[in-house]
Amino acid sequence: NKKQAPLVKQLKEQMESYFSGLPFAHRMLINILIAQADPLSGLVSDISYYKLASLLTVNPAPGRKDSGTPTKQTIRNYIKSIERDCGDHFKVITTGQKLQFLFPDIPMLFSKIFEEEDVNTLIKTFLPAEKLDENIGFDKEINTEVILKSLFLEVLLHDPL
């Protein structure tokens, strides 16, 4: 939506500014985790050190330093460093073997994108044509959580941090 574009850009810049002083690898990790975050809760779950390592892999090339796949301990060090330096905006909430993170600002920032939108219109424009009912109303049951998550990913993919 062209009307939302300046707001989306401003909110993304605000989120990015929380992590601006971090080294490049740390910011890459943050970008990966933000893309995995649930926009309604800010929670990142269903992620592993292996998945993070593969996403952070740098292919070797002549003259390129620090290529390869980071170790689990390297990723842990990144995470500890991010939490120490940006603890108000990033929290590790891992329990047992379940790796989880929380971006407490994401739900608030994400909700600002849709503050001025008519939710009914938003749902109509987002639903696939085969599921679109011109008479859709709030009396119909719609899984808005799935729609909002999809919109969040759409916003990130079209204008990544």
Side-chain angles (χ1 to χ4, degrees), residues 86-143:
C86 305
D88 292 341
H89 309 289
F90 174 80
K91 300 189 183 315
V92 178
I93 56 171
T94 299
T95 52
Q97 295 294 322
K98 193 168 184 174
L99 189 58
Q100 292 185 340
F101 307 99
L102 179 67
F103 291 92
D105 302 310
I106 284 181
M108 182 266 308
L109 293 174
F110 185 69
S111 69
K112 286 183 180 183
I113 296 171
F114 301 104
E115 276 179 356
E116 297 179 16
E117 284 292 322
D118 176 2
V119 175
N120 201 31
T121 302
L122 181 65
I123 290 169
K124 280 185 182 179
T125 59
F126 184 75
L127 284 175
E130 63 271 8
K131 293 187 179 183
L132 187 59
D133 177 359
E134 285 302 317
N135 299 317
I136 201 166
F138 289 104
D139 56 326
K140 299 258 182 169
E141 191 171 317
I142 298 170
N143 189 344

